[in-house]
Amino acid sequence: MITHSVLATLDPDGPLDDLEPLADIVGDARVVAVGEGAHFVAEFTLARARVTRFLAERCGFRVLAMEFGFGDGFGMDEWLRGAPGELADHCGLLGVGVAGEYLRWLRRYNTGSAALRFAGVDIPTSTEVHRDLEPVARLLRQVDPEALPWVTAAQEVGRRFTGGSVAVSAQRWARLPRAEQDTLTTALSRLELRMRALESLYAERSDQAAVQRVSWTLRGVRHMDHMFQALHGLFTGTGLPGDTSVRDRFMADSLRWHLERAAPHERFVLVAHNSHIQKAPVSYDGTVAALPMGFFAGRELGADYRAVAVTHTAARVPEMHYPDASSPVGFTVSMVDLPEPSPGSVERLLVDAGLADRVTLTDLRGVSGVDSMWAQSARTVLPVAEAFDAVLSTPTATQDATIPF
């Protein structure tokens, strides 16, 4: 039997009692992922903030990990705890558009007694290779100046294709001469291998924690270089199935990096798109297209990982339109119409239960036969109850009015 709980509100600052069924779903899991079925949806931001607050105040979660650059996350953590400066200084224009309202809410929330520490788990947020390598250059000046020419070579290439998003940068990367693409990949690979091999020596000359952090930041930049190639292949139809899994593998490994350095009792809220947190592979027409972060986390953490999808039962949703050369991020966002939810989808399940106009939390444990859900404006086919432990649904999906592009 499927259990639906009707939630009273999306107000992040409202009472939390109606979310108590979530505590049973979460159990003792150390990591609870909270998704979103589409970017730029105002209701999803409210839902995530409310669930975050519930997990912090009712379940004792103290760390907020996010689909956000690993290296960028340390500065964001300071900003979220009240450091001066502008949000865009830490996440760029695209980051403000995708997560700005949630991060602003979190900064306000962190003035209270249940403040959350922030941790980034993704490849660099900025896609500005030359800037992302600055921490590496600073460390190497101190511990290994002989390796600096490799940083300089990578930064020089990076300056030639930096864009406002990975989509823009990938297109500019593709126009570089092959020799420059290879220079970037070679420099980053050599730097990462050398830093990993000499980490203990670097730690003697500096601070071990700082060395480990910079080393992992460098690894993120190298994975970003792969993603330029992978996205170009995706856009042109020349890539290989599974190429984008490299990013999600890095995200799962970064989550583990933070878990290993946290106190054993510290519990993590993990915020990312549904397609990243799902425990089942991402497939199209029966072919595995990618293995998401949740696939790896589910296998490695077992019962310590729970995933809560966020979807909607609306007739319209914000969608990204690629490519758009006039946009600084390479795409525009506008509302698009949707067809009726497909039979077998989680959204149709809610419609048939008479709950399409309510905010709901559905316990998926033990459920079978639900085989699809919305992903942006498309229907994605997947074993929903294997991919997620629960799904929160909103009756509307309006475009975030604060998007700055």
Side-chain angles (χ1 to χ4, degrees):
M1 180 178 177
I2 301 175
T3 302
H4 303 290
S5 300
V6 175
L7 305 183
T9 180
L10 283 174
D11 181 3
D13 301 317
L16 297 172
D17 289 348
D18 58 334
L19 276 169
E20 280 300 327
L22 182 59
D24 181 63
I25 296 168
V26 167
D28 295 326
R30 191 178 181 198
V31 178
V32 173
V34 184
E36 61 176 355
H39 291 312
F40 311 113
V41 176
E43 290 85 349
F44 291 176
T45 296
L46 296 173
R48 286 168 137 189
R50 192 159 186 260
V51 170
T52 299
R53 183 177 155 231
F54 175 83
L55 292 173
E57 296 180 14
R58 298 291 179 90
C59 302
F61 284 71
R62 287 293 174 264
V63 183
L64 189 285
M66 192 172 183
E67 180 186 342
F68 191 90
F70 172 86
D72 305 293
F74 297 98
M76 178 58 72
D77 180 52
E78 295 178 1
W79 186 82
L80 291 170
R81 291 171 177 268
E86 299 298 324
L87 175 60
D89 297 337
H90 300 283
C91 61
L93 189 66
L94 180 60
V96 172
V98 171
E101 279 298 276
Y102 179 75
L103 292 170
R104 293 185 192 100
W105 169 83
L106 190 56
R107 180 176 164 101
R108 295 191 299 270
Y109 182 75
N110 274 352
T111 61
S113 59
L116 293 161
R117 182 164 61 84
F118 185 86
V121 300
D122 206 348
I123 60 174
T125 302
S126 72
T127 71
E128 297 179 0
V129 170
H130 60 284
R131 185 184 74 81
D132 296 319
L133 286 175
E134 271 306 307
V136 180
R138 286 195 297 269
L139 176 66
L140 292 181
R141 290 188 191 103
Q142 177 185 358
V143 302
D144 189 10
E146 292 83 1
L148 278 170
W150 292 104
V151 181
T152 301
Q155 288 179 312
E156 288 178 353
V157 175
R159 287 188 181 92
R160 289 197 265 279
F161 69 92
T162 290
S165 72
V166 68
V168 175
S169 295
Q171 295 176 36
R172 294 179 180 176
W173 172 90
R175 294 195 288 268
L176 291 174
R178 180 62 181 269
E180 292 189 9
Q181 295 173 356
D182 291 345
T183 293
L184 177 62
T185 299
T186 300
L188 293 174
S189 298
R190 183 158 184 176
L191 280 167
E192 190 203 356
L193 291 172
R194 180 174 176 83
M195 189 169 289
R196 289 174 64 185
L198 300 181
E199 184 175 298
S200 59
L201 179 61
Y202 287 2
E204 292 176 3
R205 299 172 179 176
S206 180
D207 172 75
Q208 184 173 13
V211 170
Q212 290 177 345
R213 190 169 84 178
V214 171
S215 178
W216 203 266
T217 298
L218 173 59
R219 184 176 297 195
V221 178
R222 187 172 68 83
H223 281 70
M224 181 170 66
D225 175 51
H226 169 86
M227 288 304 299
F228 293 139
Q229 303 174 49
L231 286 175
H232 174 66
L234 184 66
F235 295 150
T236 60
T238 59
L240 296 175
D243 268 355
T244 59
S245 304
V246 169
R247 176 188 173 194
D248 280 85
R249 176 72 264 187
F250 176 77
M251 292 168 74
D253 289 344
S254 296
L255 174 63
R256 190 176 68 247
W257 191 97
H258 287 293
L259 287 169
E260 290 173 349
R261 287 160 179 79
H265 65 276
E266 280 191 308
R267 305 176 78 185
F268 284 57
V269 183
L270 174 62
V271 173
H273 195 281
N274 286 351
S275 62
H276 290 304
I277 71 168
Q278 68 184 58
K279 292 182 275 188
V282 177
S283 300
Y284 298 105
D285 298 324
T287 299
V288 174
L291 298 179
M293 169 177 58
F295 173 85
F296 301 113
R299 289 194 167 200
E300 293 163 10
L301 296 176
D304 262 338
Y305 180 75
R306 292 285 183 267
V308 180
V310 178
T311 189
H312 64 90
T313 50
R316 308 187 76 214
V317 71
E319 183 56 284
M320 298 173 284
H321 305 283
Y322 291 97
D324 190 315
S326 66
S327 169
V329 295
F331 62 87
T332 57
V333 181
S334 66
M335 297 293 291
V336 297
D337 294 329
L338 298 174
E340 288 291 320
S342 302
S345 69
V346 69
E347 294 83 10
R348 173 54 67 88
L349 184 74
L350 293 167
V351 170
D352 291 345
L355 296 171
D357 61 344
R358 306 298 296 274
V359 182
T360 57
L361 177 69
T362 300
D363 187 343
L364 294 173
R365 294 174 297 174
V367 173
S368 61
V370 184
D371 62 9
S372 64
M373 65 190 306
W374 290 124
Q376 300 298 136
S377 61
R379 176 177 178 260
T380 182
V381 177
L382 77 167
V384 175
E386 294 178 20
F388 305 104
D389 300 283
V391 58
L392 189 154
S393 180
T394 66
T396 54
T398 55
Q399 185 169 319
D400 183 347
T402 68
I403 300 172
F405 47 82

